[in-house]
Amino acid sequence: MAMAAPTGSAAPVAPALCGHLALLLLLAAPAAHGYSFPQQHTMQYWARRLEQEIDGVMRIFGGVQQLRGIYNENRNLFEVKENVPRKLVEKVAGDIESLLAKKVRALKRLANAAEKFQKAHHWQDNIREEDIEYYDSKADTEYDDPDGEEIEREKSNSLKLEFTDDVNFKTKVNYSYAAVQIPTDIYKGSTVILNELNWTQALEDVFIENRKEDPSLLWQVFGSATGVTRYYPATPWRAPNKIDLYDVRRRPWYIQGASSPKDMVIIVDVSGSVSGLTLKLMKTSVYEMLDTLSDDDYVNVASFNEKAKPVSCFKHLVQANIRNKKVFKEDVQGMVAKGTTDYKAGFEYAFDQLQNSNITRANCNKMIMMFTDGGEDRVQDVFEKYNWPNKTVRVFTFSVGQHNYDVTPLQWMACANKGYYFEIPSIGAIRINTQEYLDVLGRPMVLAGNRAKQVQWTNVYQDALGLGLVVTGTLPVFNLTEDSSDRKNQLILGVMGIDVALNDIKRLTPRYNLGANGYVFAIDLNGYVLLHPNLQPQIINFREPVTLDFLDAELEDENKEEIRRSMIDGNDGQRFIKTLIKSLDEQYIDEVFRTYTWAPIKSTNYSLGLVLPPYSTYYIQANLSDQILQVKYFEYLLPNSFESEGHVFIAPREYCKDLDLSDNNTEFLENFIALMEKVTPDSKQCDNFLLHNLILDTGITQQLVERVWKDQDLNTYSLLAVFAATDGGITRVFPNKAADDWEEEPEPFNASFYRRSLDNKGYIFKPPYRDAGYRGLDLENNTIGILVSTAVELSIGGKTLKPAVVGVKLDLEAWAEKFKVLASNRTDRDQLGARRCDPSTSCEMDCEANNKDLICVLIDDGGFLVLSNQEDHWYQVGKFFSEVDANLMSALYNNSFYARKESYDFQSVCAPEAQSNTGAAPRGVFVPTVADLLNLAWWTSAAAWSLFQQFLYGLTYSSWFQTEEVAGDSMEARETSCIMKQTQYYFSTVNATYNAIIDCGNCSRLFHAQRLANTNLLFVVADKPLCSQCESIKLLQAEVRAPPRDPNQCELVDRPRYRKGPHICFDYNATEDTSDCGRGASFAPSLGVLLSLQLLLFYSSASRHPLPPAACL
């Protein structure tokens, strides 16, 4: 433990009296060599010398005062404009509303046309594939099997189209045709599919007409309830690595548009009769069922035999978000078959879950999904007690596996409770049968007619065709045909969707006039961000929406919780708050002031917010009407001026439409100069605000070179470089050769030093970041620099703003020597004279003469080492100090010099973890016996078709071919998204001088710590550790993969964040016909096809893994 004796204004830490006495004795007692630990006043004196040296260098070379003067002298070249938050929010919200309204008009036109075309269509029983003319998007797509061999393409009558590159779609397209995508597991030659292709062909003319009216339209898509997708413009399908199992009916936008929100309880029979392949099928079925749920839905999963119990830690319905579904998927693998079946236990548990009104839930469609291998009990008494006569809960039953049980009770349960009965004899039947319940839920919507035709906007998700992040407007399409009795059809035909790229919405938001730390964001009714600078998903996974909560995008606090609630409620408002923010490099925490302003985006479920720091209320708008001055300033951007005026980096912004962007700043500058030779800054194809500000800042920073930097010798003060960066996008580094080692972002708004300097007063030190594994470089050949920067604050006509940041780059090795001298007992720069100390005439140790006994360091506000008197620390500069001296860093933390903030990054990517083997499935796949192969009846059974489906899906879900039990995440083994735990340290409010002892018996150490005024540095002096017996737990700062169940979802679901579901619900209609309530699976495959597939299955399973004996029984 560390016992401290603080001085200063902070509240003292009260150690035990013996601790004070021990500290005083140690401070007073000379060591054996005659030196004693420095007195507190001595170390305070050293701190003042350090503060004065830093301030002196920055005053001479930083040029803050001179730059202020330059801005004032050029006052006629710019105006000071004001950001009025409420007006900005109102304008941007209106612009976004107008953009989406144009897409809604196109969407409604398409939905109405689709209903008209289908109603006019005449069903053809004898339709043939060659009668239909369409472009099959997969006809030109090549697929690879898991072993990297090309899979032979099936024959196709697809149209042959030519494609041209299109910048809007980021791919090749053909605007004359639409494309068709049909899932691999659907036979495209079936009568149903061919009729679907026939009537949807007329949509192409509407697609084309929509584009003529609005050329900015992106993908226009009709997703059919049969699985057919017709999208415009035509483009080849993007091939996955394995068999393509894309099915539009499982896309987030389709699910949201096809039904109202759901409260679902899944119950799984785990009695002893459910074993082997059947249990494996059930687990996979639950996986797939969970994937049909969105964030507007609520769910729980339970297993039952004689008793029912939840499969996870969730004791009630929880939101079907990605994290909760992942918990379910992991825990479903723990189900083990044993005991006897009691349907009553399962259904009573499910009804109790649905009747719990003390929790947040969807409060719309209520349903129970039961998976079983069969049984005789109809549990009519349970339905009479809980569900009849109103039948507010639908019951869906699933007969799983291949067995001879009577399925009549299961059919009766579904039919008696407005549900549906399905059969899942094999893996190939899972996907289709776990999604068709949506057709049943769509019945009340269809019967509600126009009242149910509500445009909904989705969460953010990854476009399957490569547009990046999009939102989709959806509208259900209904079957308007009537039967012979004039009864309305109650089937949903599908969902119409139109994509809007997030980048198109971002273009409507202000950016550069808000400054480096101002930004616009938007959230939906779930609190998920639609726009936010921290919305940066690193994994491309089109199967799941991108759901980042506003409180996870920022550091959560009570103020932000209230702002989020107000936005979800559709209110407008404004609040000035003090809050914590992470630095751009996620190494630091700053306490800042921000103004939050928000308002709803009308006709949508979104709300828009604006965040502004106080210094961004005003900004500079250049007005360079003098063309001669334009040319003069522009010449300072030319590389031939760099040798005398310093190197210039320009921010890679979209200054003009024809400007080619590049990640290489030299190349980008060349492209910029070449374009400026053809156009003027006032050209209509250019952003005049960006260009004029860039050129103005070029001239202003050049004047700083002339007035300050050129007249100084950097070597005298051991400086590697001086620099200035501006809001206008200029970073000027002097001298020119220093640009070779410049590693900061050329866009100042993306540079951590720039943004932190604006938010903090004084001089901000930034050492080069080194992770824990860094082992250092040869200092003789590699010079290490430390950035020191500060913001330039202007006051013009009573308006305060910060348009620039200036700074210096220190030579580490030279400043380490200077640091030792400043923290020593030397009074001048002469060589240290001999000092003789003995027990009778003791001397105080200092950081120069006694560097073998005394550690002296400067640590920044994030806990990273900046300077040290220990030469072996130099290569560790930039490391978190606990990696250098864990014992001392722990003492600083325990004495409240540092506070700690832990948070989670939900957008990270990790290498896939090794999967555990759990579950009760048999090892390997089912392989028929020789007797089976010789029995013709076997070949015409469902088992044979099951093998084809096992093979087809096995290519995608490799665990079906592996000689191991199904793994917890096997269905999504290709995913590498993960949660990372981040820890940052920052200065606490303690601002005292501390003398303290790290009490560890004979290994105790004294230390002194003091903040340096006007900097982000902590000056620490400590005894070198005498022995290694005083080891303490090393504080961790590096980002680490969060342990399983961290953050604890089991606890979080009991404190759900505020949200609102859609304001409409269609779950009941008195005229609904529930007579269509179930069917068995039937398919008559050809013997030749099945024989070929079975042989292929044998080959695949044998070549991948030898089958264990149990699999052959």
Side-chain angles (χ1 to χ4, degrees):
M1 61 175 292
M3 292 175 290
T7 62
S9 59
V13 178
L17 180 60
C18 59
H20 277 302
L21 293 173
L23 178 60
L24 292 171
L25 289 171
L26 279 166
L27 287 171
H33 46 53
Y35 289 102
S36 63
F37 193 81
Q39 296 295 311
Q40 181 169 301
H41 66 83
T42 302
M43 292 180 283
Q44 289 175 335
Y45 168 67
W46 295 346
R48 286 195 296 272
R49 292 175 67 179
L50 290 167
E51 293 165 357
Q52 292 166 3
E53 184 72 13
I54 293 166
D55 185 66
V57 169
M58 288 299 290
R59 285 182 182 276
I60 295 171
F61 290 94
V64 172
Q65 294 294 342
Q66 294 89 333
L67 196 54
R68 285 196 189 111
I70 294 170
Y71 274 106
N72 284 320
E73 290 170 16
N74 290 277
R75 182 68 186 80
N76 63 314
L77 300 180
F78 62 86
E79 299 176 65
V80 177
K81 295 286 189 177
E82 182 178 3
N83 285 315
V84 182
R86 290 187 184 274
K87 288 184 178 179
L88 282 173
V89 169
E90 182 181 347
K91 180 183 183 306
V92 175
D95 290 344
I96 295 176
E97 179 190 356
S98 298
L99 171 71
L100 299 183
K102 290 172 67 177
K103 315 307 177 188
V104 167
R105 288 194 291 272
L107 190 60
K108 290 181 176 179
R109 191 181 300 119
L110 277 168
N112 292 334
E115 292 174 347
K116 183 182 71 173
F117 294 151
Q118 194 276 337
K119 188 175 182 179
H121 173 255
H122 296 288
W123 181 269
Q124 301 178 46
D125 287 323
N126 299 320
I127 193 170
R128 299 176 303 170
E129 193 169 355
E130 51 265 31
D131 297 334
I132 308 297
E133 187 179 76
Y134 70 99
Y135 171 66
D136 182 352
S137 63
K138 296 196 287 188
D140 301 321
T141 301
E142 295 182 356
Y143 297 98
D144 293 338
D145 77 359
D147 291 330
E149 298 178 4
E150 184 177 330
I151 295 176
E152 184 177 353
R153 239 183 262 149
E154 59 179 302
K155 294 182 180 179
S156 173
N157 297 316
S158 172
L159 293 171
K160 304 300 180 184
L161 303 183
E162 293 183 357
F163 303 93
T164 55
D165 286 318
D166 189 282
V167 293
N168 294 323
F169 287 92
K170 303 177 184 177
T171 188
K172 294 178 180 291
V173 300
N174 183 308
Y175 282 111
S176 300
Y177 293 89
V180 170
Q181 189 273 348
I182 302 173
T184 304
D185 52 341
I186 292 179
Y187 176 44
K188 62 184 178 183
S190 72
T191 304
V192 171
I193 298 301
L194 293 177
N195 275 277
E196 191 86 12
L197 292 172
N198 194 17
W199 75 260
T200 59
Q201 190 168 0
L203 289 173
E204 287 194 358
D205 292 336
V206 187
F207 287 146
I208 293 171
E209 191 62 30
N210 274 345
R211 181 176 177 270
K212 288 180 180 177
E213 291 196 18
D214 182 5
S216 68
L217 276 177
L218 296 176
W219 300 121
Q220 303 175 64
V221 187
F222 174 60
S224 167
T226 64
V228 173
T229 305
R230 190 179 285 271
Y231 60 90
Y232 175 87
T235 189
W237 192 247
R238 293 168 70 93
N241 292 329
K242 300 181 181 181
I243 287 181
D244 174 35
L245 289 180
Y246 175 96
D247 190 323
V248 68
R249 294 167 295 182
R250 306 186 79 83
R251 299 293 285 133
W253 65 270
Y254 184 95
I255 293 169
Q256 181 170 319
S259 65
S260 292
K262 302 174 278 295
D263 286 324
M264 176 187 289
V265 179
I266 301 172
I267 54 176
V268 185
D269 179 0
V270 292
S271 60
S273 62
V274 179
S275 59
L277 183 60
T278 301
L279 183 58
K280 194 170 189 179
L281 288 171
M282 287 186 180
K283 293 177 179 180
T284 308
S285 298
V286 174
Y287 265 75
E288 295 293 336
M289 181 65 73
L290 290 169
D291 282 342
T292 68
L293 302 178
S294 73
D295 290 78
D296 289 332
D297 304 320
Y298 283 74
V299 64
N300 203 356
V301 183
S303 61
F304 71 93
N305 37 43
E306 299 93 343
K307 296 181 179 179
K309 62 178 182 180
V311 299
S312 71
C313 58
F314 302 142
K315 306 305 180 187
H316 52 74
L317 292 171
V318 297
Q319 187 181 14
N321 57 39
I322 292 173
R323 292 178 225 164
N324 289 339
K325 287 193 289 187
K326 185 176 181 182
V327 172
F328 282 128
K329 289 178 180 181
E330 291 173 351
D331 291 343
V332 158
Q333 296 310 313
M335 294 190 306
V336 177
K338 62 181 179 180
T340 58
T341 304
D342 184 356
Y343 286 157
K344 184 175 182 179
F347 277 109
E348 285 186 338
Y349 177 89
F351 279 114
D352 286 341
Q353 289 278 298
L354 292 171
Q355 289 183 351
N356 184 356
S357 59
N358 296 324
I359 58 168
T360 305
R361 56 184 185 173
N363 285 318
C364 194
N365 286 292
K366 297 179 178 61
M367 67 202 69
I368 298 171
M369 325 298 275
M370 181 180 73
F371 294 91
T372 180
D373 63 343
E376 298 179 359
D377 190 1
R378 300 190 178 199
V379 290
Q380 182 171 335
D381 57 330
V382 175
F383 299 132
E384 289 175 347
K385 176 181 178 181
Y386 288 97
N387 205 35
W388 293 356
N390 296 326
K391 300 182 181 180
T392 56
V393 177
R394 296 182 189 267
V395 175
F396 296 85
T397 56
F398 298 82
S399 175
V400 184
Q402 300 164 17
H403 50 73
N404 296 319
Y405 297 126
D406 181 13
V407 298
T408 305
L410 298 181
Q411 292 174 324
W412 179 88
M413 291 180 196
C415 295
N417 293 280
K418 297 172 65 174
Y420 211 90
Y421 163 75
F422 299 96
E423 289 183 3
I424 301 178
S426 60
I427 189 173
I430 291 176
R431 282 168 61 87
I432 188 69
N433 285 317
T434 53
Q435 68 194 22
E436 286 204 340
Y437 77 93
L438 291 171
D439 292 343
V440 178
L441 299 190
R443 292 172 184 171
M445 291 179 63
V446 178
L447 295 172
N450 289 332
R451 288 190 304 113
K453 291 183 179 178
Q454 304 280 342
V455 175
Q456 295 188 70
W457 290 96
T458 67
N459 297 330
V460 178
Y461 70 95
Q462 194 80 33
D463 174 52
L465 288 170
L467 270 183
L469 296 181
V470 299
V471 292
T472 299
T474 66
L475 199 58
V477 179
F478 301 151
N479 189 330
L480 301 183
T481 60
E482 298 176 348
D483 62 17
S484 55
S485 304
D486 293 333
R487 285 189 306 178
K488 292 176 63 177
N489 195 297
Q490 57 185 17
L491 291 178
I492 186 170
L493 290 176
V495 177
M496 200 68 71
I498 287 184
D499 288 347
V500 179
L502 282 199
N503 285 336
D504 290 343
I505 300 177
K506 286 179 183 177
R507 290 189 186 99
L508 301 176
T509 64
R511 176 66 184 100
Y512 298 107
N513 60 300
L514 302 181
N517 290 317
Y519 57 92
V520 170
F521 70 98
I523 66 173
D524 63 16
L525 293 179
N526 278 303
Y528 298 146
V529 294
L530 164 73
L531 299 174
H532 198 284
N534 293 335
L535 178 62
Q536 299 174 349
Q538 297 180 41
I539 184 170
I540 297 177
N541 177 8
F542 70 81
R543 291 187 64 191
E544 294 181 344
V546 178
T547 53
L548 179 67
D549 196 283
F550 169 65
L551 297 178
D552 294 324
E554 305 197 356
L555 292 176
E556 182 176 356
D557 60 35
E558 289 184 5
N559 282 313
K560 291 176 184 175
E561 286 181 20
E562 293 172 6
I563 291 168
R564 177 181 176 276
R565 176 183 285 266
S566 179
M567 293 178 73
I568 290 173
D569 286 339
N571 301 323
D572 55 17
Q574 187 174 75
R575 183 175 292 194
F576 181 71
I577 68 173
K578 181 166 71 172
T579 187
L580 297 178
I581 64 168
K582 287 182 194 174
S583 64
L584 196 65
D585 56 14
E586 298 183 327
Q587 305 299 329
Y588 299 90
I589 295 287
D590 290 313
E591 188 175 61
V592 300
F593 290 96
R594 294 288 189 265
T595 297
Y596 281 72
T597 309
W598 62 93
I601 302 174
K602 296 176 183 177
S603 303
T604 74
N605 292 330
Y606 303 132
S607 183
L608 187 78
L610 170 68
V611 180
L612 270 185
Y615 51 80
S616 291
T617 302
Y618 301 98
Y619 64 95
I620 284 176
Q621 179 172 304
N623 181 20
L624 296 178
S625 56
D626 186 341
Q627 293 189 352
I628 296 176
L629 191 62
Q630 285 182 16
V631 173
K632 177 184 176 182
Y633 283 178
F634 179 76
E635 288 179 349
Y636 297 129
L637 282 175
L638 301 178
N640 59 19
S641 70
F642 290 175
E643 196 58 42
S644 60
E645 311 299 329
H647 192 100
V648 174
F649 296 92
I650 66 170
R653 302 174 182 175
E654 295 183 27
Y655 300 101
C656 299
K657 292 179 181 178
D658 294 335
L659 177 60
D660 294 328
L661 299 178
S662 173
D663 293 332
N664 183 301
N665 201 256
T666 300
E667 182 178 315
F668 178 70
L669 180 59
E670 290 173 355
N671 297 341
F672 177 80
I673 292 170
L675 183 62
M676 288 297 99
E677 292 174 351
K678 301 175 184 177
V679 301
T680 68
D682 299 310
S683 171
K684 291 183 179 179
Q685 66 160 299
C686 297
D687 186 320
N688 303 139
F689 170 76
L690 289 184
L691 267 181
H692 278 250
N693 278 26
L694 180 79
I695 294 173
L696 172 67
D697 286 354
T698 304
I700 283 179
T701 55
Q702 186 275 335
Q703 292 176 45
L704 182 65
V705 176
E706 292 294 331
R707 298 189 187 186
V708 181
W709 298 347
K710 277 188 175 181
D711 295 334
Q712 303 293 339
D713 182 6
L714 273 60
N715 292 328
T716 302
Y717 289 86
S718 306
L719 304 182
L720 300 175
V722 288
F723 60 89
T726 70
D727 276 359
I730 291 293
T731 302
R732 189 179 291 275
V733 180
F734 184 87
N736 184 40
K737 64 179 182 180
D740 296 339
D741 299 318
W742 187 256
E743 298 178 349
E744 305 304 315
E745 288 286 338
E747 169 57 82
F749 285 15
N750 292 339
S752 183
F753 82 87
Y754 192 86
R755 294 171 66 156
R756 294 203 70 216
S757 296
L758 295 174
D759 273 328
N760 291 278
K761 294 181 179 180
Y763 308 125
I764 305 303
F765 282 69
K766 179 181 177 291
Y769 173 71
R770 312 292 189 198
D771 61 30
Y774 181 76
R775 289 293 175 262
L777 302 168
D778 182 357
L779 291 179
E780 293 181 1
N781 301 321
N782 296 276
T783 304
I784 298 176
I786 297 169
L787 290 190
V788 188
S789 56
T790 189
V792 178
E793 184 173 290
L794 299 182
S795 183
I796 300 175
K799 301 171 182 178
T800 302
L801 62 159
K802 297 180 180 180
V805 169
V806 295
V808 301
K809 191 173 185 180
L810 309 180
D811 182 330
L812 167 64
E813 194 169 354
W815 270 78
E817 294 295 337
K818 182 178 294 190
F819 168 59
K820 289 194 289 186
V821 172
L822 293 171
S824 74
N825 295 322
R826 272 211 262 174
T827 56
D828 53 43
R829 296 188 180 275
D830 294 335
Q831 190 171 4
L832 182 64
R835 290 189 294 162
R836 300 185 181 277
C837 295
D838 54 54
S840 60
T841 58
S842 65
C843 301
E844 290 183 21
M845 290 190 289
D846 68 35
C847 299
E848 181 183 28
N850 306 98
N851 62 345
K852 292 183 179 181
D853 303 301
L854 205 61
I855 293 176
C856 304
V857 291
L858 292 177
I859 311 171
D860 71 14
D861 56 327
F864 297 95
L865 179 63
V866 176
L867 283 175
S868 173
N869 71 333
Q870 305 295 308
E871 192 169 336
D872 60 344
H873 284 178
W874 293 354
Y875 75 89
Q876 299 189 81
V877 163
K879 281 189 177 183
F880 185 58
F881 191 59
S882 193
E883 299 292 337
V884 182
D885 192 329
N887 184 247
L888 184 52
M889 184 64 197
S890 294
L892 294 172
Y893 174 69
N894 292 334
N895 279 278
S896 301
F897 275 100
Y898 287 94
R900 178 167 58 191
K901 184 71 177 179
E902 293 180 341
S903 59
Y904 296 90
D905 179 2
F906 296 98
Q907 305 178 89
S908 295
V909 176
C910 299
E913 289 184 317
Q915 302 291 354
S916 61
N917 297 332
T918 58
R923 303 175 76 84
V925 299
F926 169 76
V927 177
T929 64
V930 173
D932 287 328
L933 293 173
L934 296 176
N935 185 349
L936 184 61
W938 181 88
W939 284 102
T940 60
S941 70
W945 180 231
S946 168
L947 282 168
F948 160 63
Q949 293 165 326
Q950 287 181 25
F951 170 73
L952 179 65
Y953 284 82
L955 292 178
T956 302
Y957 305 139
S958 59
S959 65
W960 283 82
F961 279 139
Q962 294 172 358
T963 58
E964 61 181 24
E965 296 162 354
V966 68
D969 205 21
S970 62
M971 298 295 289
E972 309 202 6
R974 65 190 178 283
E975 296 180 1
T976 55
S977 62
C978 62
I979 300 173
M980 300 297 287
K981 187 173 185 178
Q982 296 183 341
T983 306
Q984 289 91 13
Y985 291 81
Y986 60 102
F987 285 155
S988 68
T989 54
V990 173
N991 196 21
T993 296
Y994 271 74
N995 278 328
I997 181 172
I998 305 172
D999 188 7
C1000 193
N1002 293 331
C1003 296
S1004 296
R1005 300 169 65 187
L1006 286 168
F1007 77 89
H1008 166 90
Q1010 178 176 339
R1011 294 265 292 273
L1012 294 190
N1014 208 34
T1015 73
N1016 65 327
L1017 297 179
L1018 181 69
F1019 176 42
V1020 182
V1021 179
D1023 284 326
K1024 269 196 171 181
L1026 299 175
C1027 51
S1028 60
Q1029 297 174 12
C1030 202
E1031 295 296 328
S1032 59
I1033 297 175
K1034 182 188 292 186
L1035 298 177
L1036 298 178
Q1037 187 275 337
E1039 185 179 62
V1040 295
R1041 186 167 186 165
R1045 305 295 168 89
D1046 185 16
N1048 193 328
Q1049 286 297 114
C1050 305
E1051 295 178 359
L1052 291 177
V1053 294
D1054 291 328
R1055 305 187 306 275
R1057 287 170 171 166
Y1058 182 70
R1059 66 174 294 276
K1060 277 188 174 180
H1063 63 280
I1064 54 173
C1065 172
F1066 298 96
D1067 61 345
Y1068 173 79
N1069 191 289
T1071 63
E1072 179 184 345
D1073 179 8
T1074 62
S1075 59
D1076 180 12
C1077 56
R1079 63 189 183 281
S1082 62
F1083 184 77
S1086 81
L1087 179 60
V1089 169
L1090 282 175
L1091 181 58
S1092 300
L1093 286 170
Q1094 180 60 16
L1095 293 173
L1096 186 56
L1097 175 63
F1098 273 131
Y1099 170 76
S1100 298
S1101 58
S1103 62
R1104 292 170 189 272
H1105 300 282
L1107 288 168
C1112 301
L1113 297 177

